[in-house]
């Protein structure tokens, strides 16, 4: 038993094998993987469609040869192998968009074959070689894809920018799904996905070049700005360094001056303290002198007050004396008047004489009082006694 | 290998109404049963896809891009499910030599129940897809809503089918029976 390989290249999609043509000594078997299928066509009828199995004794071998010879096997046995998994097909196209710009690219179709659709490939093999490859399938569907899908979709694009929009991709896929179903269904394929890939158009290349030039210019501009910024930074740095150095020098000078000033200030403070102590000393001396003077003044004032008191006492004594004298005189005159009245000697002349003498006596009293009250006052405000020759307060002589 | 559990016989009968030849993974037919189930899911999904293709074609040609887009989305979801199902693991036949343990009653019950439910689900999706196309033709009801409901059902089915992998992967390694 030997293994039969129906597929030698990854581009092979399907193959129709005439089992009767396989004349080998050992019988052949084929292993069908999950993405492979085999439809048995026996005597022109589609039989089972197998997958995921080991198809034993599919062709060749002595027993099958013998059966053919004695006529106990089928007259015609064909095996249709096919890939059922999804496969991508790239279909080149050229077209124009609405503004006349030429567009080149590829339409990608992702196709899959259902298990029950495998026999439909007979439609293809009826008019083509018994092996279907990617190129073969593309050659069949390309024209229809261009005519039914690519051209109508490109016609709806007003500019190259529309080619890049999601809307265009969706429309392309939907159009492919709808328009290609007939052909693909006839061949047994199911479309899973479709999308276009377009090369850059001439105008896009111009735009790209423009963008590159612009980017270059912008880059240069950025470099210039960076250089200017660098110079500016250098300038600022230099200025800052100079300023810092100046500030340092200034601070040093200021510090030196401060030190000198502080030194001078210290000396001045010392001098000031010295002067202060001298002033205090002088002030103390002066205060002592003032205290002495105050003490003298106080003593003088006390003495003066004592003299004043004695004077006041004397005046009071004098006034008492005069009062007593006047009272005794009044009593005497009254007694004299009463005695004169009793003796009948009270005449107007006597009365007149008595009044005259009394008036004279009053005058004498008043003049005595005036003499007593005419006291002198010194320029310092001290009241001077008539007997004083100088002011006891200020020491000025009394004229 | 153990016999078919009695309590899953109703499920087997249910699946057999749709799939002739399904016998609930009896001895020696495990791969065949698995294949039958997967083919049925693929076939039903293709039916959904056909309905959606019709809706898509009509709506796209009429310029109703919204509904066409929804239908296209559903078609894509069907493609994903078909691809998932066709490339799904089916387990190994030679359990003794391959290091797999033989399926227990519990495993079989789970698998058969899962088959029944996933077929029910995909059948429901087919019915909704049919209704959506019908409502589009009669113009009664919300076609877009039904299309989106179909998409949702297919997506759920895709996720639910993935759970089958978990059951099968449980058979891959021999576990110490307690």
């Amino acid at each position: 038993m030997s293994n039969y390989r129906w597929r030698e290249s990854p581009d092979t999609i399907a193959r129709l094998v005439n089992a009767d043509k396989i004349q080998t000594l050992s019988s052949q078997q084929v292993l069908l993987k999950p993405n492979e299928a085999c439809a048995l066509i026996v005597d022109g009828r589609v039989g089972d469609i197998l997958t995921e199995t080991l198809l034993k004794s599919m062709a060749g071998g002595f027993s099958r040869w013998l059966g053919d010879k004695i006529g106990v096997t089928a007259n015609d046995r064909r095996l249709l192998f096919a890939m059922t998994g999804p496969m991508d097909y790239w279909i080149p196209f050229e077209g124009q968009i609405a503004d006349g710009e030429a567009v080149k690219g590829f339409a990608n179709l992702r196709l899959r074959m259902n298990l029950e659709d495998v026999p439909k490939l007979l439609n293809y093999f009826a008019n083509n070689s018994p092996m279907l490859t990617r190129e073969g399938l593309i050659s069949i569907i390309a024209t229809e894809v261009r005519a039914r899908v690519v051209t109508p979709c490109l016609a709806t694009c007003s500019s190259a920018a529309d080619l890049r929009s999601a809307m265009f991709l969706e429309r392309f896929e939907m159009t492919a799904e709808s328009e290609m179903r007939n052909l693909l269904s006839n061949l047994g394929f199911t479309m899973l996905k479709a999308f276009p890939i377009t090369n850059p158009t001439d105008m896009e290349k111009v735009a790209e070049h423009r963008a590159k030039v612009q980017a270059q210019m912008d880059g240069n501009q950025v470099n210039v700005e960076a250089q200017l910024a660098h110079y500016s930074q250098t300038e600022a740095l230099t200025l800052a360094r100079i300023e810092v150095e100046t500030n340092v020098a200034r601070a040093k000078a200021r510090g030196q001056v401060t030190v000198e000033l502080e030194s001078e200030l210290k000396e001045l403070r010392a001098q000031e303290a010295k002067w202060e102590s001298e002033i205090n000393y002088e002030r103390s001396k002066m205060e002592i002198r003032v205290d002495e003077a105050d003490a003298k003044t106080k003593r003088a004032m006390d003495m003066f007050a004592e003299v004043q008191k004695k004077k006041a006492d004397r005046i009071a004594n004098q006034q008492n004396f005069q009062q007593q004298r006047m009272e005794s005189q009044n009593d005497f005159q009254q007694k004299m008047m009463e005695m004169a009245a009793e003796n009948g000697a009270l005449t107007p002349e006597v009365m007149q004489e008595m009044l005259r003498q009394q008036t004279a006596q009053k005058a004498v009293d008043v003049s005595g009082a005036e003499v007593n009250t005419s006291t002198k006052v010194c320029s310092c405000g001290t009241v001077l006694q008539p007997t004083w020759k100088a002011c006891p307060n200020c020491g000025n002589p009394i004229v | 290998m153990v016999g078919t559990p009695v309590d899953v016989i109703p499920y087997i009968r249910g699946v057999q109404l749709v799939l002739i030849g399904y016998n609930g993974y009896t001895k020696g037919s495990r791969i065949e049963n698995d294949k039958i189930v997967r083919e049925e899911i693929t076939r039903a999904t293709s039916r959904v896809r056909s309905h959606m293709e019709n809706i898509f074609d009509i709506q796209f040609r009429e310029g109703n891009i919204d509904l066409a887009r929804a239908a296209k989305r559903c078609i894509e979801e069907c493609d994903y499910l078909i691809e998932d199902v066709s490339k799904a693991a089916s387990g190994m036949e030679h359990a003794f030599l391959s290091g797999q343990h033989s399926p227990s009653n519990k495993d079989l019950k789970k698998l058969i129940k899962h088959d029944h439910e996933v077929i029910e689900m995909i059948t429901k999706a087919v019915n909704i897809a049919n209704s959506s196309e019908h409502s589009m033709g009669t113009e009664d009801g919300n076609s877009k809503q039904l299309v989106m409901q179909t998409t949702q059902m297919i997506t759920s089915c895709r996720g639910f089918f993935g759970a089958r992998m978990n059951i099968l992967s449980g058979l891959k390694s021999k576990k110490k029976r307690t």
Side-chain angles (χ1 to χ4, degrees), chain A residues 14-17 37-39 41 78-82 118-119 121-122 125:
Chain A
R15 188 175 177 186
L16 183 65
V17 177
C38 176
I41 300 149
R78 290 171 195 271
L79 305 172
L80 180 52
F81 294 98
V118 172
L121 280 172
L122 289 171
F125 291 121

Side-chain angles (χ1 to χ4, degrees), chain A residues 34-35 51-52 85-86 112 115-116 170-171 173-175 177-179 181 190-193, chain B residues 35 38-39 46 49 53 56-57 60-61 65 68-69 72 75-76 79 82-83 86-87 90:
Chain A
N35 60 343
T51 184
E52 294 183 54
R112 173 174 58 83
L115 202 62
E116 62 268 25
E170 188 186 52
R171 190 167 54 243
E173 184 174 356
M174 286 185 169
T175 308
E177 176 80 37
S178 176
E179 299 295 336
R181 182 166 302 124
T190 304
M191 201 186 80
L192 301 178
K193 207 78 181 169
Chain B
K35 206 168 169 182
R38 287 199 285 145
E39 278 174 2
S46 297
R49 194 184 197 280
E53 279 174 0
F56 171 80
D57 278 357
F60 181 66
R61 283 175 203 282
I65 298 297
R69 195 178 285 131
K72 182 79 177 75
I75 288 170
E76 285 176 5
D79 290 335
I82 289 170
E83 195 60 23
S86 64
K87 302 293 188 301
S90 59

